Every structure is written in C-alpha cells, then in structure tokens.
Amino acid sequence: MIAALMWVLVVSLLILRRRRAERSILYAAVTIAVAMTLNVDAVYLPVDALLGGANIGTLIADAALMVGVFFLGRGIMKAAEYHPLPVRIALGPVTLVVALASLVIAFVLIDKGSTTTNFMLDLGAQSAAAWYSVIQFTYYGVVVAAMGAVATRQFRLRRGIRRIPAGSLIVGAIFGVLLSFVVIVMDIAHLVGDLDLMVGVGAAYAPLFLLTFLFLCIGLAGQPALRFIDERTRLTRTRNLVQQLTPLWNAATRLRPGLIQRDATAIRLEDPETLLHREVVEIRDAMIDSRVAFDPTSDDRYLLERAEAHLLGSDVR
C-alpha cells in the first residue's frame, strides 16, 4: 500500500511540478517509492536472487529510503527561509554520508545467511543487525524532526487552507519521530532477548509507519496542488478581465491608430497575462494623450484599476 501511495505521489508531482526547476521533492518521492517497492516480497525476492541471495536488496532499499528522506528534507528546507544551524546540519549531505557509511559497515558485519523477507526479525538478535537498524531510524528521526521544525514555522506564517501542507508535514514528522523511537526500542529489546517487549512495542510499528507516510505525502502533494489551483484561478480571472476590458481597449486604440501596430492574429495568440498587460498599457496611453479625447467612465476606470491590481498580484476592494 505504501509503495502504491508513493508512486501516486510521484505521478502527482510530475504533473503539478513539471515547470519547476527545484526537483528535490520529486527526487525524494522517486527514491522513496523505489525503496518501498523493494520492500514488497514479490519484488524483493527476485531482485535479491539476482544480487546473489545475501539480502543485498535490503541494503539497497534501506539506503534508497535514507537518500529519499535526505532529498525530502532538503526540498522542504529550500522551500522555506528558516535555516538554523541544527537544521542545516541534520539535513546536510555530510550527515547523510556518515549515516550511509555507518549503515554499510554495520551491514557487512551481519551474518546475513540467505534471502529473508523478515530481515530484522530473523537477524535482529545480532548486535551488528541491531546497530544497522538503529543507524537507519536515528537518521530518520533526526531528519523528520528537522523537517517538522521547518514546517512549524511555515505553518505559523500561513493562514487558512494554506496551512494544510505544513500542518500535514508536522503531523507526519511527529509520527516519524515516534516510529523511529518504537523501532529503536524494538531493536534493543530484541538484542537483549526481551521478546515480549519487542512484540508489545512492535504493535505500534505498522500504524505509525502508515500514518507517517500518509501525512508526509499529503504535505508534499499539498503545496504544489495549492500552487496549481492558484495558477488556474489566476488564469481564469485574467481571461475574464481581458474579456471585460476589450471593449474599452478597442475604443482607445481606435482613437490612436497611428501609435498601435495591431496584428489581430498575433494578439489572439498572446497568453492572457501578456494580452491584459497590453490592454492596460494602451488604455492608459490613450487616457494621458492630450491629442485625443478619451475619457472612460468611472466604471471603466474601476475595471482598469482592477486589471492593474490583478497584474500586480493584489486586489482592489
């Protein structure tokens, strides 16, 4: 289910963020989706068999998830203006490289045996395996906590529906920290042989895992979705203003035909924003030209002011 959710997120981001230069969030979604897909038994078993049947697939999936979480944190940090030193360290490449190197060293020291789809349940009694898991989830916990700090500030700066993405990221970060704590407790309990504690705490693992990725996905998809809605809403308003202003523009350009080089076909092909700007400028030119008698009504002037405010990104009440 998590793998499917992540691939849906990838497709959504490809649609909603296709024109944006910053791709950290997309990279995060793709790498996390790959990691989640490798955790599906039907995928993992043949992949690990191709890699020699020594659970190398587990290392690849876990490393991909760490890289995905890294890109996720970087993308959220880049979208904000809140970059305190602890956040920059937690979400920095040095922290990732140290965590990945430690993960590989711990993995090499594990007596891995043959392919297993229950890696930590089967091998978690080994100290190297316990450290392998602790390294992963300590890194996850640190990164999502830093993400939560960034999202908290974004939440405070926003109002209304625009708080939903940041709020979802905060909730996802809280669940992520709890998930990391639960897994670390399970690892320690397994290592010391307290299987009752491991099983008892482990009951929270599946719901926390699902809730973490669910709310993080909502937060990740929410911001580009709101931006997409804003763009569509602005385009609709621009077209409506163009339609309303065109009669006034035609009247203005009829009075000043020598100053306007009007190619009707080219004008129709202009995007609405450019066309609205053209209309506003040429109407204003006609209004200030003392050689022509062009005096719009008060309603026309109000409409012109609305169009100017729209182009500047503000509203006229």
Side-chain angles (χ1 to χ4, degrees), residues 160-205:
I161 193 174
R162 300 186 185 284
R163 281 184 159 184
I164 292 176
S168 297
L169 289 174
I170 293 169
V171 175
I174 292 171
F175 282 129
V177 171
L178 290 174
L179 173 66
S180 298
F181 176 76
V182 164
V183 172
I184 291 171
V185 171
M186 291 171 63
D187 292 332
I188 295 172
H190 196 173
L191 184 62
V192 300
D194 192 344
L195 299 183
D196 289 338
L197 176 61
M198 183 189 77
V199 172
V201 174
Y205 175 83

Side-chain angles (χ1 to χ4, degrees), residues 15-275:
I15 295 171
L16 297 173
R17 299 177 68 92
R18 61 186 181 276
R19 295 188 300 273
R20 296 183 64 81
E22 172 54 44
R23 298 297 181 91
S24 293
I25 298 296
L26 178 59
Y27 297 154
V30 171
T31 50
I32 293 173
V34 169
M36 293 296 100
T37 302
L38 284 174
N39 283 324
V40 177
D41 291 352
V43 176
Y44 177 77
L45 290 172
V47 169
D48 196 61
L50 289 173
L51 296 172
N55 294 300
I56 302 297
T58 295
L59 177 62
I60 294 174
D62 293 338
L65 185 56
M66 291 174 71
V67 171
V69 170
F70 164 77
F71 278 121
L72 175 58
R74 297 289 288 184
I76 292 172
M77 185 177 73
K78 288 178 181 178
E81 297 178 355
Y82 181 60
H83 304 154
L85 182 60
V87 169
R88 293 200 304 271
I89 293 174
L91 303 180
V94 174
T95 303
L96 173 66
V97 170
V98 170
L100 286 174
S102 302
L103 188 78
V104 172
I105 292 171
F107 184 82
V108 170
L109 296 175
I110 299 172
D111 182 8
K112 295 174 282 296
S114 58
T115 299
T116 174
T117 56
N118 297 302
F119 188 79
M120 287 307 298
L121 286 176
D122 294 341
L123 307 175
Q126 300 180 43
S127 58
W131 277 112
Y132 175 83
S133 181
V134 167
I135 290 166
Q136 289 180 71
F137 283 89
T138 298
Y139 180 75
Y140 299 150
V142 168
V143 171
V144 296
M147 286 165 39
V150 174
T152 298
R153 186 170 186 273
Q154 291 178 317
F155 183 84
R156 291 171 179 167
L157 295 175
R158 286 164 172 72
R159 293 293 180 268
I161 193 174
R162 300 186 185 284
R163 281 184 159 184
I164 292 176
S168 297
L169 289 174
I170 293 169
V171 175
I174 292 171
F175 282 129
V177 171
L178 290 174
L179 173 66
S180 298
F181 176 76
V182 164
V183 172
I184 291 171
V185 171
M186 291 171 63
D187 292 332
I188 295 172
H190 196 173
L191 184 62
V192 300
D194 192 344
L195 299 183
D196 289 338
L197 176 61
M198 183 189 77
V199 172
V201 174
Y205 175 83
L208 283 175
F209 193 83
L210 177 60
L211 289 170
T212 296
F213 279 93
L214 177 62
F215 280 96
L216 289 180
C217 286
I218 293 173
L220 291 177
Q223 192 61 48
L226 286 177
R227 190 179 298 111
F228 179 79
I229 292 171
D230 286 344
E231 290 174 354
R232 300 303 300 178
T233 301
R234 180 174 178 83
L235 178 60
T236 299
R237 289 174 179 170
T238 302
R239 286 172 172 165
N240 288 337
L241 285 168
V242 166
Q243 183 178 11
Q244 294 175 57
L245 206 60
T246 295
L248 182 63
W249 178 52
N250 288 333
T253 54
R254 278 196 299 269
L255 293 174
R256 306 176 72 243
L259 299 180
I260 305 298
Q261 300 297 322
R262 298 188 62 187
D263 183 334
T265 301
I267 290 173
R268 283 196 299 270
L269 293 176
E270 288 180 346
D271 68 271
E273 200 87 8
T274 302
L275 181 55

